[in-house]
Every structure is written in C-alpha cells, then in structure tokens.
Amino acid sequence: MNSTLKGRDYISLADYDPSSFQSLLDLAIELKEKQKKGIPHASLPGKTLAMIFQKSSTRTRVSFDAAMFHLGGLGMFLSANDLQIGRGEPIQDTARVLASYCDGILIRTFSHQEVLMLGKYADVPVINGLTDDEHPTQALADIMTAYEEFGALKGKRLAFIGDANNVAVSLMHACALTGMEIAIASPAGHHPGDKAMAEYERLKQPGSVLTILEEPKEAAEGADILYTDVWASMGQEQEVQKRMQVFRGYHVNADLLKLAKPTAIVMHCLPAHRGEEISDEVIEGSQSRVFVEAENRLHAHKAILAALL
Ligand code: CP
Ligand code: NVA
C-alpha cells in the first residue's frame, strides 16, 4: 500500500500525479489477483465508510459496500433524501459530524462544489462517487481494464464518442496521467470545458495527446479503445428529447468499430441505453469489455479505500 496516499481525498484525478495514480492501479490489480485466489485482504478492520447518494447507483453503491466488507470494514449507505442534508442541513455541518463517526466519506451528488466543500470540512478522506463534472472512481477501473488488456498504456488511443461530461472528463485526466492518447468526438456545445482542457495540459505525460472532434469516425480511426456513455445523464431527464436529436450520430456500432484497430476493445461505464449510444450487437460482441470494466469497479474501489483509509 502506498502510505503517501493515506488520509488523502479522491475527489478529482486532477489532484493526482502519475506515480500516485499508478500505485492505485497496481494495488487494484494486486487486490483482484488476491480475491481470485481467495486470499483475504482485510486491511481495514473496524473502519467505517459513510456513503451518501443523492443520485441512483448500482455499480458504485454495491461495489463500495462490498469493498468495505472485503476489507474488514463497514460501508453505510445513506440516501441523501433521508439525511438532514435533504432538508437543507449545510454540507459543512454534515461533513464534520460524519467525519466524527466514520473513517471516510463517499458521496455521489450533482454539484462538484458541494463535494469540494465536504472535503474541506471533513478531516477524513472524501471520495467522489460521481458529480455532474467528474467520475474519478470510474476512470481508475477503466484504466485498469485497459491495462489488463494491453499492458503498457503509453500511446494507446482511447476514442470517446458522445457527451464529454463527468465520465469523459475523468478519462481525460486518467489518459493524461498514463500517457494515453484521447480523442473525443462530441457535438458542438458538448465538448469538454476550459477547466478540463487546462487540467489535461497540466497533467499530460509523454505519449498523451488530446484531440477534440465532432466526427465520431475520425475519433474511432485506429483507436485501441472505443468508449461511450449515455446521451442524457442523471439530472438531465428534462432534456432527453432534445438530446436524442443532438447525439443521434454518436453511436458506437459495428460500422464504427470496424474503423478501430482489429484488437480494439469497447468500453461503457454503464448503465447503457442499447440502441442509443451503443448497439446491442457491440455491447454483447467479442470486443466488448463492458462487464470486466464493471467488475473492476470493485477491485479499483478496494484499492482506493485500502490506500486512503
Ligand atoms: N458506472 C456507474 O457509476 O454506475 P452506477 O451509476 O450504477 O453506479
Ligand atoms: N454520465 C452518466 C454516467 C453514469 C455513471 C451520468 O452522469 O448519469
């Protein structure tokens, strides 16, 4: 375990450097191997994790809960609607109270600012389980999946097709930290924002190249990984009809996959809307690693918890 990560937050990969990110990746792979061999790794006996969810979740919620159990600790699912924050208690107060009971706080919410505030006031590690802006726990599992597939990642090309919001931004950070190329194809108005672009520039390593495009085919050309995410994220339910029009061409299907390398893999953070951003054929096809990626959330989260708590 990398002792330098103990006590740190995991709110944004923009706060990490290549060696700390690599140490989490190495630990995730080690913990996966141990779990497959049935070797326990109960390094967090007696530790507790408060898990605040203001949005729905299958993978993040269940894998963090299982991760705490595997590590010998306890995960506590807390629906934001049932907490006093749902009735307006300030996050600063919630932060200090939960930090006095628990050894770490995971939060999934809308506002990234709220998570930063939680991190400021809680003197235990705060983990970002997704905000409107970033999804850093997903990106660790994604890079782990790519590493298992390809080994060395430097110069590998990830093509992201679709809405460049939370998932894409954390992938930008992760690709920058690992020297990977990332080509993002999104409709105008849905490209990464200035903040994410500047963070990419600051984090980028030899091998990192960022290309922002509108045409999915250009991004997919020669790619090692085709990655997509839903057209309408949680909280954008009112925009679904409009987004169906705007993103119509941003579809990962067999034709697009043909443009990628023959060895290319397909990834999706899930939940997927088959027939929209990804075809049923591709998600079920031999190049899909979507369910390995989903499994890797568990191992990646164990690594984050074991290192930070
Ligand atoms: N990918 C992901 O975060 O899934 P959940 O929304 O189910 O947690
Ligand atoms: N962009 C999606 C990711 C879900 C894991 C959302 O925010 O809903």
Side-chain angles (χ1 to χ4, degrees), residues 256-273:
L256 197 73
L257 186 51
K258 279 190 199 122
L259 300 174
K261 289 197 182 131
T263 51
I265 60 169
V266 175
M267 296 175 69
H268 190 308
C269 54
L270 301 178
H273 290 195

Side-chain angles (χ1 to χ4, degrees), residues 55 108 130-131 135 138 165-167 229-230 232-234 269-271:
K55 290 176 171 175
R108 166 170 289 200
L130 180 144
T131 61
H135 196 5
Q138 177 73 50
N165 68 343
N166 45 18
V167 169
D229 183 11
V230 290
S233 286
M234 290 180 277
C269 54
L270 301 178

Side-chain angles (χ1 to χ4, degrees), residues 35-53:
Q35 187 177 315
K36 297 286 172 194
K37 289 181 185 155
I39 304 168
H41 186 93
S43 64
L44 298 179
K47 302 272 184 184
T48 51
L49 178 72
M51 311 194 317
I52 306 172
F53 281 82

Side-chain angles (χ1 to χ4, degrees), residues 143-270:
I143 298 299
M144 175 184 178
T145 309
Y147 179 79
E148 287 177 324
E149 189 70 28
F150 300 115
L153 293 175
K154 190 174 166 188
K156 286 280 179 289
R157 179 181 170 94
L158 185 151
F160 183 93
I161 314 295
D163 192 11
N165 68 343
N166 45 18
V167 169
V169 167
S170 289
L171 282 172
M172 282 169 72
H173 295 153
C175 287
L177 289 169
T178 51
M180 288 175 68
E181 277 189 36
I182 179 165
I184 299 183
S186 322
H190 298 276
H191 287 149
D194 293 343
K195 180 169 172 281
M197 297 295 286
E199 285 163 349
Y200 183 88
E201 283 305 310
R202 178 170 57 76
L203 296 175
K204 75 178 179 192
Q205 299 300 307
S208 303
V209 182
L210 169 66
T211 319
I212 304 294
L213 301 157
E214 284 190 30
E215 175 50 58
K217 287 181 186 152
E218 272 181 62
E221 197 83 50
D224 296 287
I225 302 163
L226 282 194
Y227 199 118
T228 189
D229 183 11
V230 290
W231 292 343
S233 286
M234 290 180 277
Q236 297 174 334
E237 288 76 13
Q238 304 305 316
E239 298 173 32
V240 168
Q241 289 318 318
K242 191 174 131 218
R243 285 174 167 268
M244 290 300 133
Q245 300 304 317
V246 173
F247 284 95
R248 197 157 39 175
Y250 293 80
H251 182 58
V252 173
N253 56 21
D255 286 340
L256 197 73
L257 186 51
K258 279 190 199 122
L259 300 174
K261 289 197 182 131
T263 51
I265 60 169
V266 175
M267 296 175 69
H268 190 308
C269 54
L270 301 178

Side-chain angles (χ1 to χ4, degrees), residues 88-153:
E89 182 171 13
I91 196 76
Q92 301 90 306
D93 298 357
T94 306
R96 284 170 284 189
V97 173
L98 290 182
S100 73
Y101 305 147
C102 300
D103 302 285
I105 306 172
L106 167 77
I107 181 166
R108 166 170 289 200
T109 189
F110 295 89
S111 156
H112 195 76
Q113 233 14 68
E114 189 183 351
V115 180
L116 292 173
M117 190 70 97
L118 183 64
K120 184 174 167 192
Y121 283 90
D123 60 4
V124 297
V126 168
I127 301 169
N128 174 3
L130 180 144
T131 61
D132 289 346
D133 298 358
E134 298 184 38
H135 196 5
T137 62
Q138 177 73 50
L140 180 63
D142 295 343
I143 298 299
M144 175 184 178
T145 309
Y147 179 79
E148 287 177 324
E149 189 70 28
F150 300 115
L153 293 175

Side-chain angles (χ1 to χ4, degrees), residues 56-61 108 135 138 234 269-271 297:
S56 304
S57 173
T58 297
R59 282 143 288 270
T60 309
R61 172 181 174 176
R108 166 170 289 200
H135 196 5
Q138 177 73 50
M234 290 180 277
C269 54
L270 301 178
R297 298 291 302 284

